[in-house]
C-alpha cells in the first residue's frame, strides 16, 4: 500500500497559467477529499467525492477551480488562470467512509 | 462560534517531559481524529478516536464525549516529536471535519 499519491510535489506557474494537480487515493477507499493549506488560513476544505461522485464543492473558489474524479483510481484539481493568492500546499486525502483520513504528501503550488 | 478549540497554541518542553494537548468542542461529534505534521511535511493520522482511550506507543488519546473534550498525551517526549499536532472533529453523520488551530510542539534536547 503506497498510500495516497500526489503529483507533482512542486509546481511553479506564472500568473494566469493553468495548473493541474493529480491525486491517486488508496485503493478501495470510497471517500476522496481535497484541502488547501497555508500558514495564514491553515487547512481549508475544498471538495469531497464519495464513490467518485462529487458530494460537496462548497470550499472551491467557483470561477477558476474545478475538480474531477473520472475513475476510482485518480482525481484531479484544476486551477485556471492561477493567481498569486492560489499559492499553497494542496492536499489530497482518502478514507473508507467514517474512518481514518489518510493524506498524501501534498503539491506545493507557487504562482509567480 | 468556533466549534473546536485547541490548546495550547504552542508548547516547549525538555526531552523526557510529558506533553498534554487538548481539544474542546462545542457540538456533537461522530469522532475525533488527531494528526501530526512535521514542518514542510504532510499530515499523518495518529488516532481515530470516537470515545474512550486509545494507546499507540508513547501516545495516548482520550475522548470524553459528555465533557466535550479530547486529549493527546505524549509521554517521555523526544526531539523527534517536535512538530504541529492537529485535532479534527468529525461531525455526526457527516463527512466534514472541523479542524483545530493546532499545537506547535518543540522538544528541546
Amino acid at each position: 500500500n503506497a498510500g495516497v499519491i500526489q503529483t507533482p510535489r512542486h509546481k511553479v506557474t506564472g500568473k494566469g497559467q493553468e495548473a493541474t494537480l493529480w491525486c491517486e487515493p488508496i485503493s478501495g477507499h470510497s471517500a476522496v477529499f481535497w484541502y488547501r493549506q497555508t500558514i495564514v488560513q491553515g487547512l481549508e476544505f475544498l471538495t469531497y467525492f464519495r464513490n467518485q461522485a462529487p458530494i460537496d464543492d462548497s470550499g472551491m473558489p467557483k470561477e477558476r477551480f474545478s475538480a474531477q474524479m473520472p475513475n476510482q483510481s485518480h482525481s484531479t484539481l484544476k486551477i485556471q488562470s492561477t493567481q498569486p493568492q492560489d499559492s499553497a500546499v494542496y492536499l489530497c486525502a482518502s478514507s473508507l467512509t467514517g474512518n481514518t483520513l489518510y493524506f498524501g504528501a501534498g503539491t506545493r503550488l507557487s504562482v509567480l | 462560534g468556533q466549534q473546536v478549540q485547541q490548546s495550547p497554541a504552542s508548547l516547549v518542553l525538555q526531552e523526557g517531559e510529558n506533553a498534554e494537548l487538548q481539544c474542546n468542542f462545542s457540538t456533537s461529534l461522530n469522532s475525533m481524529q488527531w494528526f501530526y505534521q512535521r514542518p514542510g511535511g504532510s499530515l499523518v493520522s495518529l488516532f481515530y478516536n470516537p470515545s474512550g482511550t486509545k494507546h499507540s506507543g508513547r501516545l495516548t488519546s482520550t475522548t470524553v464525549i459528555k465533557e466535550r473534550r479530547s486529549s493527546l498525551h505524549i509521554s517521555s517526549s523526544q526531539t523527534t516529536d517536535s512538530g504541529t499536532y492537529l485535532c479534527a472533529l468529525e461531525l455526526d453523520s457527516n463527512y466534514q471535519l472541523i479542524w483545530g488551530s493546532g499545537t506547535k510542539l518543540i522538544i528541546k534536547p
Side-chain angles (χ1 to χ4, degrees):
Chain A
N1 186 347
V4 176
I5 300 171
Q6 286 189 253
T7 54
R9 289 296 312 276
H10 304 275
K11 186 164 182 70
V12 181
T13 65
K15 184 178 173 181
Q17 292 183 327
E18 183 178 287
T20 299
L21 314 181
W22 295 74
C23 171
E24 182 180 331
I26 293 173
S27 177
H29 281 192
S30 52
V32 174
F33 299 80
W34 283 96
Y35 285 88
R36 175 167 65 179
Q37 187 175 33
T38 60
I39 292 174
V40 174
Q41 299 290 338
L43 269 161
E44 298 177 276
F45 167 79
L46 293 176
T47 191
Y48 164 60
F49 294 88
R50 186 169 63 223
N51 295 321
Q52 298 173 235
I55 303 298
D56 182 353
D57 66 355
S58 59
M60 299 271 276
K62 288 293 182 275
E63 296 86 22
R64 299 181 295 105
F65 283 58
S66 62
Q68 294 185 340
M69 191 161 184
N71 56 60
Q72 62 186 4
S73 64
H74 89 272
S75 175
T76 57
L77 178 68
K78 184 181 289 186
I79 309 171
Q80 294 178 310
S81 185
T82 53
Q83 303 297 310
Q85 61 265 30
D86 298 332
S87 296
V89 176
Y90 289 82
L91 293 164
C92 177
S94 72
S95 74
L96 295 168
T97 305
N99 213 314
T100 304
L101 201 59
Y102 294 89
F103 281 85
T107 295
R108 182 175 296 277
L109 176 67
S110 298
V111 182
L112 304 179
Chain B
Q2 203 171 13
Q3 292 179 290
V4 180
Q5 292 186 317
Q6 190 168 351
S7 61
S10 62
L11 183 61
V12 181
L13 297 172
Q14 288 296 131
E15 192 169 28
E17 291 184 313
N18 298 332
E20 187 81 14
L21 285 57
Q22 293 281 349
C23 272
N24 294 290
F25 45 92
S26 58
T27 186
S28 59
L29 84 165
N30 196 42
S31 186
M32 180 68 81
Q33 299 192 41
W34 284 92
F35 294 87
Y36 166 72
Q37 187 173 37
R38 197 177 293 280
S42 189
L43 287 141
V44 175
S45 176
L46 298 175
F47 291 101
Y48 180 90
N49 189 1
S51 67
T53 299
K54 292 193 173 185
H55 302 277
S56 177
R58 295 181 293 105
L59 305 180
T60 301
S61 167
T62 300
T63 298
V64 184
I65 293 176
K66 63 181 180 181
E67 294 180 14
R68 300 203 166 180
R69 63 175 176 85
S70 182
S71 64
L72 178 68
H73 182 87
I74 305 172
S75 62
S76 303
S77 62
Q78 300 175 358
T79 56
T80 51
D81 295 330
S82 297
T84 298
Y85 292 80
L86 290 147
C87 64
L89 176 72
E90 181 181 293
L91 297 178
D92 248 353
S93 305
N94 197 326
Y95 55 87
Q96 278 277 22
L97 291 179
I98 309 298
W99 293 86
S101 52
T103 293
K104 186 174 182 180
L105 178 65
I106 298 171
I107 306 297
K108 294 186 172 180

